[in-house]
Amino acid sequence: MIPVGFAYERPSSVDGALALLAEHGEEASVMAGGHSLLPVMKLRLAAPELIIDISKLSELSYVKVDGDEVAIGAGTRHSTVERSDVLAAESPLLAGVARTVGDPQVRHRGTIGGSLAHADPASDLPAAVLALGGTVVLRSPRGTRSVPITEFFTGVFSTAKEPDELLVEIRVPRTGGAGWAYEKFTRRANDWAIVGVAVVDGRVGLVNMGQTPLRATATEEALAGGASIADAAALADQGTEPPEDLAGTKEYRRHLARVLTRRALTTAAGG
Amino acid sequence: MTVKVEITVNGESTSADVEPRLLLAHYLRDQLGLKDTNVGCDTTSCGACTVLLDGESIKSCTVLAVQADQQSVTTMEGLSTDSDNLHPVPAAFRAEHGLQCGFCTPGMVMAAVSLLEENPKPTEKQVREGLEGNLCRCTGYHNIVRAVLAASGQDPDKAEGSEPDMVAPGFSTGSGA
Amino acid sequence: MSIMGTRVRRVEDPVFLTRGATYTDDLTDERLSGALHLTFVRSPMAHARITGVDTTAAREAPGVVAVITADEMDLEPTKHFPAVPDAMARPWLAKDTVRFVGEPVAAVLTEHAYQGEDAAELVEVDYDPLPAVTTLKQALADETLLFPEAGTNLAVAFGGEDEFSDDLFADCEVVVTQEIVNQRVAAAPLETRGAAAAWGEDGRVTLFASTQNAQQTKGEVAGWLGVDPGLVHVITPDVGGGFGAKIGADPEFALVAWLARHVGRPVRWNESRSENMTGMLQGRAQLQTITIGGNRDGKVLAYRLDVLADAGAYPRIGVALPTFTRMMAGGVYDIPKVETRARVLVTNTTSTGAYRGAGRPEATAAIERAIDLFAAEIGKDVAEVRKLNVPPPDAFPYTNKGGAQYDSGEYAKAIDTVLEAAGYQGLRAEQKARRERGEVLQLGIGLSCFVEITAGGMTAEDATVEVHPDGTVTVLTGTSPHGQGHATAWAMLASEKLGIPVEKITVKHGDTDLIPKGIGTMGSRSLQTGGVAVYQAAGELADLAKQRAADLLEANVDDLEVADGAVRVAGTGTSITLAELAEKDQLRIESHWDGQMPSFPFGAHLAVVELDIESGKAVVDRILTIDDAGTILNPLLAEGQRHGGIAQGIAQALLEEVVYDADGNPLTATFADYGIPSAAELPSFTLLTMETPTHLNPIGAKGIGEAGTIGATPAVQSAVCDAVAHLGIRHIDMPATPLRVWTAINAAQNGSDA
């Protein structure tokens, strides 16, 4: 299967991309690695009139320490995130979660910015950034703004990003040696998570438990209040509205969220 | 509209005016006639179309030809000088009987080449997880895994993880431990 | 030294590993130059009336040469299996009614492939939905009929109600009954279906097609087109897997040929995976009710298997497969009384056909589940009960209650071999310890024992062997490899008789002009039919060479031997090469082999799963198998067949299922949704050796292609059930997905019925 035809631009800079976005707005789609967008275009579930290809913009590919945070260029590929020495030292959860995305071929192409902008609630990295309490940096000809990750995801495949904005950077706190874990539950290694749980520094991000990636706030509050891991994990599905499909009923996903949260918290605590 | 692309394929410069929507897999197959790259699914699942792009494995059904402009692609055909002088990875596939119908083979071989580039001495578990993006319906992977271990210079009968260790495969879990 | 039984590396591979094999879509044959690309418009509805088709916009789309609907076609609807009601004929393109998602409604021909998808989207079809029949029980109720003129959804019945006696279980101390699902699965060869056709000025059509048997394809396509078979030339290029689903021709092949004639240009078609997952024949799809009875000492006295089988929307070869299920119902067991019945029904789903095992895995899964349930009921070990009920070696040839005559077998030995290799008692101890410790990862041990029928119904094949003056050899065979390695194995058989190295022997297949007779590769038949035919032909060729050499060498035929590609006078240096003989006169033999009877490979599989009690996820940790297929010609190839079969068995047990929603929409029509395992979901396999030769052919070989699947599926399912047996769970249907296993555990722990 092949996509519907489209026009194609490959700007040589972020500014060039922003100018194209400003001109074409909602008719255009930005493509970096293309591993979220191209599959849906091939199934003809999406048919943008213009593709703005930012896959070769090296200015969007970096991982660097910036004050209390690690800044990751939106065009940084999963395989780079996975193997980044900076992230291994400063935010190992992100590297660990990137290692579980798709398969090696997907990780060689897909980008962290693309994954976040696509906002698939079954995707791994959005929940990881959510657990980290990161921010995303959006640029448009109107300027640059930072949006806390907690305000970024607005629904299934939808975000606070305006049509003329480009996601240019992801910033996550330097968690250093804080315990972390990612429990990804799948049928097959290469499948989307039926449920995933990312834990770092007492914060819990949930994959595929609602319209957006979610924080298990009840669990986090219980932990902060001194509850045991088991007791806190039992609250992990509170406030979630998990989807129902062949891989899992709502009830099953709620159960998995509790079990996986307990396991992730235990691992993160060194257990 | 068409866009001009210049892609180095198996060491040779190629160029064509292509539709932007042309998938790299079809550029290789239909523009260049390199039929070793197969397309087995629509969903970036099977990996039959795996080639190297600037040395890293990618699925050429999920990359536009225009995105590979000014880059270098290697397909299985580019690995060996001829059928009497097989590159070590395809040679190991033959020695271990790691192929049957052959359809997944070009992609599987290229995924293995990339895997070994990144991890020259993988364990059995690492090979299995490293090939998670490539489906084979014939071999049950048993001999493919052996071939990759053998290509890494290890004895497939003795490589780490070759003995059952009562640790269930199939869990992809990151952890700080 | 004999080449038989050695690990000869495949002669196919050097090409396969450089420029790659040449599949139908790879062809650059000049007969196909200028070919149009065929794209089908397929029904998105499972059951609906077609109220209008508008092709106007599509006809005007770039590159479109023709858009064809049922109105433009002159081929009558055709039954694809003889014994079903006439009303169940399938139209080539749907006219008034569509009966499954994926049914072709229109054909779009374009200059380029990409244009086809664009244009197909522009064909507007109006549908008036009808209620969909998606389950066998719905079909049986006959409330909604797929073919109202037939008056029933029953395509065919094997065995009537009256075959079931009231007192079958009267003598039994214990009777257990269970409804079990042998779910629908997709064969999913990595190469999808493809065909290409070009008509010549001589009025003949050359049809290139991805199939397991060119000759059957030729006959079917000629029949469907209504042309003399002599006008159809089928060529099978390399085939990227079949697993039964590529037996014979698909209706689309005839459409490709018909369209090529209609527009006067070559036409080629290569389907997408999404198309394949609704268009290609699917397998299994049985709902079985098993009842088993016996005594508390472990002796099974009676068994009943009642099958509902799903034909899909238009009955095809799948209709016939329950006959194998019935024939093999009793499995390896010597059960005094066995009763079976099968009813095959149409539903608004993809048609069913053969899939690796084709009727026998369904029989094996049922009886193996039955034995497990019986053993659980009487509190005996599953291995002990099995061994108690198998016939001893001296009972062979053994005729089972389905009328099949098992040629040779040593079932108890197969069971003992896997038990010993697995360290069965140790595994049981480990399982007990984990249960006592209440561990999250529980151990499950599953044992299966199987016998299957290979070369069933089709025991003959032809072969031609010719030595050329340059010393090379050509072998022509009617079998049709699609991964099995016939080019290597058949070369070994010829080499054995002629002493010419395999590198000099070319095996040709799949060209109906070159090889008019052939049955093909299916049902694990090839080696014991086509292979033996080659062996026989090569032997006859050696005899012919000796006769001719006798004059030339002035020797007695009895003093001659064929070795190293030459005829020698034994004990002397006098010889003449086969090439020299061929120089003088054509050295060629055509031979016909018929083994008369099918053979019955058997084996035992033991699977060990680890099952996460909290999540329900089961993973196969080890699997040890005996797959006794008689004498092994090439262990490398035979092991490959076993590996692939085992993987597909594990896949059916744990992962794969074709699922439809209540409206008949397929929910698993991509590889993202359909659960084919990758290397990461599977362990390495432990293959144990046992070779009990058959007397039915001179090389002692039985079939090996399907054994792994037949044995592994029930072993793994049983292991999953065993892992949770201590929770009071007796049965979990396949695939034992995490959700399904957890649901069973949850129900057991909450005291309700799963």
Side-chain angles (χ1 to χ4, degrees):
Chain A
M1 300 179 102
I2 43 98
V4 176
F6 50 81
Y8 174 83
E9 294 283 354
R10 189 196 307 146
S12 55
S13 66
V14 169
D15 288 338
L18 294 176
L20 285 164
L21 266 181
E23 186 185 341
H24 297 280
E26 291 182 11
E27 287 123 48
S29 284
V30 171
M31 183 178 288
H35 273 52
S36 298
L37 184 56
L38 203 42
V40 292
M41 288 171 66
K42 283 167 66 183
L43 296 173
R44 303 204 167 197
L45 301 172
E49 291 173 19
L50 170 68
I51 288 293
I52 302 171
D53 179 3
I54 60 165
S55 64
K56 293 181 193 293
L57 292 183
S58 55
E59 62 185 297
L60 287 177
S61 179
Y62 54 84
V63 180
K64 64 188 181 194
V65 172
D66 187 2
D68 294 340
E69 295 175 313
V70 183
I72 302 128
T76 308
R77 300 189 192 282
H78 302 318
S79 53
T80 306
V81 172
E82 177 186 345
R83 292 178 207 134
S84 159
D85 292 337
V86 172
L87 285 170
E90 303 292 348
S91 189
L93 171 70
L94 207 55
V97 172
R99 198 174 300 134
T100 73
V101 174
D103 53 50
Q105 293 96 313
V106 168
R107 297 198 289 276
H108 287 144
R109 277 306 284 180
T111 65
I112 185 170
S115 176
L116 265 61
H118 190 58
D120 185 338
S123 195
D124 306 293
L125 285 164
V129 176
L130 189 68
L132 284 160
T135 51
V136 296
V137 181
L138 305 172
R139 263 183 68 187
S140 73
R142 296 175 283 122
T144 301
R145 64 178 178 131
S146 288
V147 177
I149 194 73
T150 47
E151 297 167 19
F152 182 64
F153 302 109
T154 55
V156 178
F157 305 134
S158 79
T159 69
K161 186 173 75 63
E162 298 294 337
D164 65 343
E165 286 182 317
L166 185 67
L167 198 170
V168 294
E169 188 176 271
I170 294 92
R171 301 178 70 85
V172 295
R174 297 169 65 182
T175 57
W180 67 275
Y182 182 52
E183 287 284 342
K184 179 176 183 174
F185 190 80
T186 59
R187 284 182 316 166
R188 299 177 294 178
N190 200 17
D191 284 332
W192 298 98
I194 299 173
V195 174
V197 178
V199 162
V200 60
D201 211 9
R203 293 186 300 273
V204 181
L206 302 175
V207 177
N208 217 5
M209 286 297 290
Q211 304 271 301
T212 65
L214 297 172
R215 284 274 284 272
T217 46
T219 296
E220 293 178 4
E221 285 165 12
L223 285 172
S228 69
I229 284 176
D231 289 346
L235 307 172
D237 62 315
Q238 279 198 8
T240 63
E241 276 298 328
E244 193 150 278
D245 55 27
L246 284 182
T249 58
K250 289 179 193 298
E251 189 190 8
Y252 183 52
R253 282 198 162 86
R254 287 177 179 280
H255 167 78
L256 283 177
R258 297 190 295 265
V259 169
L260 299 176
T261 298
R262 193 195 72 232
R263 292 180 180 180
L265 286 170
T266 305
T267 303
Chain B
M1 85 182 259
T2 59
V3 178
K4 184 177 168 70
V5 294
E6 294 176 345
I7 307 173
T8 301
V9 179
N10 295 338
E12 293 186 14
S13 306
T14 70
S15 177
D17 291 311
V18 303
E19 269 193 281
R21 63 173 169 167
L22 181 70
L23 303 175
L24 179 59
H26 293 136
Y27 178 80
L28 297 169
R29 288 179 56 81
D30 301 335
Q31 298 278 335
L32 306 183
L34 292 173
K35 305 287 190 183
D36 59 321
T37 299
N38 295 318
V39 177
C41 75
D42 312 319
T43 47
T44 327
S45 306
C46 79
C49 64
T50 299
V51 300
L52 304 186
L53 182 62
D54 286 351
E56 292 183 322
S57 60
I58 55 104
K59 295 182 175 178
S60 63
C61 74
T62 311
V63 174
L64 300 171
V66 289
Q67 291 189 293
D69 185 32
Q70 307 301 325
Q71 289 185 260
S72 170
V73 169
T74 308
T75 74
M76 183 181 70
E77 194 161 354
L79 290 180
S80 306
T81 48
D82 59 62
S83 59
D84 294 327
N85 295 283
L86 294 177
H87 174 282
V89 172
F93 270 66
R94 184 176 187 214
E96 297 293 337
H97 188 32
L99 67 156
Q100 291 181 27
C101 85
F103 198 88
C104 77
T105 307
M108 194 70 79
V109 164
M110 299 318 287
V113 168
S114 186
L115 188 164
L116 293 174
E117 179 70 27
E118 292 169 10
N119 184 357
K121 283 274 182 289
T123 62
E124 181 189 331
K125 184 168 186 285
Q126 287 168 338
V127 172
R128 289 186 174 278
E129 291 186 346
L131 297 178
E132 66 178 308
N134 293 76
L135 299 178
C136 169
R137 197 58 161 163
C138 294
T139 65
Y141 308 100
H142 184 102
N143 284 345
I144 289 174
V145 173
R146 288 178 62 87
V148 177
L149 291 169
S152 75
Q154 303 181 80
D155 179 346
D157 292 320
K158 293 177 184 156
E160 194 183 329
S162 298
E163 287 300 309
D165 58 3
M166 292 290 166
V167 174
F171 288 88
S172 76
T173 301
S175 104
Chain C
M1 198 185 101
S2 173
I3 196 170
M4 308 274 280
T6 64
R7 304 174 75 85
V8 176
R9 292 179 184 182
R10 293 211 316 180
V11 298
E12 294 91 333
D13 291 355
V15 169
F16 277 32
L17 286 163
T18 49
R19 69 159 172 73
T22 302
Y23 307 103
T24 299
D25 196 42
D26 297 339
L27 290 167
T28 52
D29 192 288
E30 64 179 20
R31 284 167 283 194
L32 296 175
S33 62
L36 297 171
H37 291 264
L38 168 59
T39 306
F40 285 107
V41 176
R42 291 178 179 273
S43 172
M45 310 286 292
H47 198 193
R49 296 230 169 277
I50 297 175
T51 56
V53 181
D54 184 351
T55 61
T56 315
R59 286 178 204 273
E60 287 164 9
V64 173
V65 173
V67 181
I68 307 293
T69 64
D71 288 340
E72 285 103 326
M73 284 206 70
D74 58 5
L75 296 181
E76 288 300 308
T78 303
K79 285 199 295 180
H80 289 259
F81 193 78
V84 305
D86 290 342
M88 294 183 180
R90 173 173 166 155
W92 299 91
L93 294 170
K95 187 174 174 64
D96 306 314
T97 308
V98 290
R99 294 187 178 84
F100 70 100
V101 172
E103 180 167 359
V105 177
V108 178
L109 293 171
T110 55
E111 297 289 349
H112 300 293
Y114 277 29
Q115 294 165 336
E117 267 189 65
D118 296 342
E121 275 202 330
L122 299 174
V123 175
E124 288 185 22
V125 186
D126 294 323
Y127 297 99
D128 188 4
L130 294 166
V133 178
T134 60
T135 69
L136 284 161
K137 286 183 178 173
Q138 270 181 309
L140 192 63
D142 271 345
E143 283 167 11
T144 297
L145 297 178
L146 268 74
F147 303 91
E149 316 87 88
T152 175
N153 289 321
L154 186 70
V156 64
F158 301 105
E161 194 87 45
D162 52 358
E163 297 208 6
F164 286 175
S165 48
D166 292 338
D167 61 351
L168 187 70
F169 300 100
D171 309 338
C172 302
E173 295 172 9
V174 174
V175 180
V176 187
T177 190
Q178 176 79 42
E179 183 178 277
I180 64 177
V181 176
N182 204 297
Q183 81 274 25
R184 176 186 286 254
V185 292
L190 261 284
E191 184 209 13
T192 56
R193 295 176 300 165
W199 291 82
E201 289 178 2
D202 57 0
R204 299 185 76 214
V205 62
T206 304
L207 177 69
F208 301 89
S210 182
T211 171
Q212 295 176 215
N213 46 357
Q215 293 80 9
Q216 180 182 334
T217 298
K218 169 183 157 174
E220 287 177 338
V221 170
W224 294 337
L225 294 177
V227 303
D228 186 294
L231 296 180
V232 179
H233 178 196
V234 174
I235 297 175
T236 305
D238 291 323
V239 173
F243 311 110
K246 288 182 182 171
I247 294 174
D250 270 1
E252 284 91 341
F253 294 4
L255 278 162
V256 169
W258 186 90
L259 288 163
R261 187 174 61 187
H262 184 72
V263 298
R265 285 178 65 179
V267 169
R268 59 197 305 167
W269 168 67
N270 186 67
E271 68 179 349
S272 70
R273 179 59 59 187
S274 306
E275 204 177 355
N276 176 268
M277 294 297 281
T278 56
M280 178 180 246
L281 291 174
Q282 298 177 339
R284 312 284 190 261
Q286 289 190 2
L287 180 65
Q288 306 168 324
T289 304
I290 51 176
T291 311
I292 186 167
N295 289 342
R296 293 204 170 272
D297 64 4
K299 185 67 191 157
V300 178
L301 300 176
Y303 175 63
R304 176 180 290 160
L305 174 63
D306 195 3
V307 174
L308 296 180
D310 194 339
Y314 297 99
R316 291 180 60 188
I317 186 178
V319 171
L321 302 178
T323 57
F324 281 134
T325 309
R326 294 183 73 211
M327 181 188 288
M328 301 305 293
V332 294
Y333 307 105
D334 185 21
I335 304 174
K337 292 187 283 185
V338 176
E339 289 182 351
T340 64
R341 169 174 73 158
R343 289 168 287 174
V344 189
L345 297 145
V346 290
T347 62
N348 292 114
T349 62
T350 298
S351 297
T352 60
Y355 171 61
R356 205 167 197 161
R360 295 98 82 200
E362 296 89 328
T364 307
I367 186 67
E368 290 302 288
R369 280 279 69 217
I371 294 285
D372 277 0
L373 291 166
F374 176 67
E377 189 67 26
I378 61 174
K380 284 200 179 297
D381 181 80
V382 292
E384 188 188 330
V385 172
R386 280 178 168 80
K387 286 199 287 179
L388 192 63
N389 286 286
V390 296
D394 61 11
F396 291 83
Y398 171 87
T399 303
N400 81 0
K401 293 294 178 291
Q405 192 181 89
Y406 299 168
D407 51 341
S408 59
E410 261 198 85
Y411 304 151
K413 182 179 168 190
I415 293 170
D416 281 333
T417 305
V418 295
L419 293 179
E420 188 182 338
Y424 183 64
Q425 295 308 328
L427 287 170
R428 286 288 175 207
E430 167 74 12
Q431 177 183 56
K432 183 161 178 274
R434 289 197 196 194
R435 286 178 178 173
E436 285 169 1
R437 292 195 295 264
E439 288 193 14
V440 172
L441 282 183
Q442 286 292 325
L443 208 62
I445 305 153
L447 177 67
S448 77
C449 192
F450 71 92
V451 58
E452 63 138 336
I453 177 170
T454 63
M458 300 167 296
T459 52
E461 197 69 72
D462 289 20
T464 300
V465 178
E466 179 173 5
V467 178
H468 304 288
D470 65 357
T472 63
V473 178
T474 300
V475 172
L476 305 182
T477 178
T479 63
S480 192
H482 35 285
Q484 293 87 349
H486 293 185
T488 305
W490 283 206
M492 289 171 69
L493 292 161
S495 176
E496 172 72 8
K497 290 291 188 185
L498 304 176
I500 292 174
V502 294
E503 291 76 16
K504 289 191 166 184
I505 301 171
T506 302
V507 178
K508 293 188 176 177
H509 66 90
D511 182 322
T512 58
D513 277 9
L514 189 63
I515 308 163
K517 283 177 70 182
I519 292 175
T521 292
M522 69 209 74
S524 302
R525 68 182 298 277
S526 288
L527 178 56
Q528 58 191 310
T529 57
V532 172
V534 170
Y535 186 74
Q536 178 177 279
E540 289 169 4
L541 188 81
D543 290 342
L544 176 65
K546 282 197 280 191
Q547 279 162 17
R548 291 195 192 161
D551 289 344
L552 295 164
L553 300 177
E554 295 176 346
N556 190 319
V557 169
D558 295 339
D559 296 333
L560 298 178
E561 61 185 19
V562 176
D564 300 328
V567 185
R568 287 195 302 238
V569 183
T572 74
T574 311
S575 70
I576 183 168
T577 65
L578 296 177
E580 287 167 329
L581 287 171
E583 184 98 41
K584 297 178 189 302
D585 198 2
Q586 190 185 46
L587 196 54
R588 173 188 169 106
I589 285 285
E590 289 180 41
S591 196
H592 177 77
W593 161 260
D594 189 344
Q596 303 289 342
M597 301 275 285
S599 65
F600 292 83
F602 64 93
H605 286 208
L606 188 140
V608 181
V609 305
E610 281 195 321
L611 192 149
D612 179 344
I613 287 288
E614 289 184 318
S615 71
K617 182 166 176 169
V619 173
V620 177
D621 201 74
R622 301 170 67 189
I623 183 160
L624 305 92
T625 81
I626 288 278
D627 301 291
D628 188 329
T631 309
I632 298 300
L633 171 63
N634 182 335
L636 199 63
L637 301 180
E639 287 163 11
Q641 290 297 308
R642 293 170 68 182
H643 292 148
I646 292 165
Q648 287 180 2
I650 295 173
Q652 185 182 3
L654 294 184
L655 290 163
E656 294 183 17
E657 181 174 25
V658 173
V659 183
Y660 294 89
D661 71 12
D663 297 323
N665 298 305
L667 302 180
T668 49
T670 70
F671 274 0
D673 296 310
Y674 187 74
I676 293 177
S678 79
E681 285 75 54
L682 296 171
S684 287
F685 313 129
T686 306
L687 305 187
L688 307 167
T689 304
M690 204 168 136
E691 298 183 25
T692 308
T694 180
H695 60 274
L696 295 171
N697 63 65
I699 64 173
K702 308 183 188 184
I704 190 68
E706 296 157 295
T709 304
I710 295 168
T713 312
V716 174
Q717 183 186 18
S718 173
V720 171
C721 298
D722 183 58
V724 292
H726 62 300
L727 304 176
I729 296 167
R730 289 272 174 90
H731 175 77
I732 297 173
D733 273 322
M734 300 186 293
T737 60
L739 172 61
R740 188 167 280 153
V741 173
W742 175 78
T743 302
I745 293 171
N746 204 30
Q749 288 176 337
N750 293 330
S752 63
D753 185 14

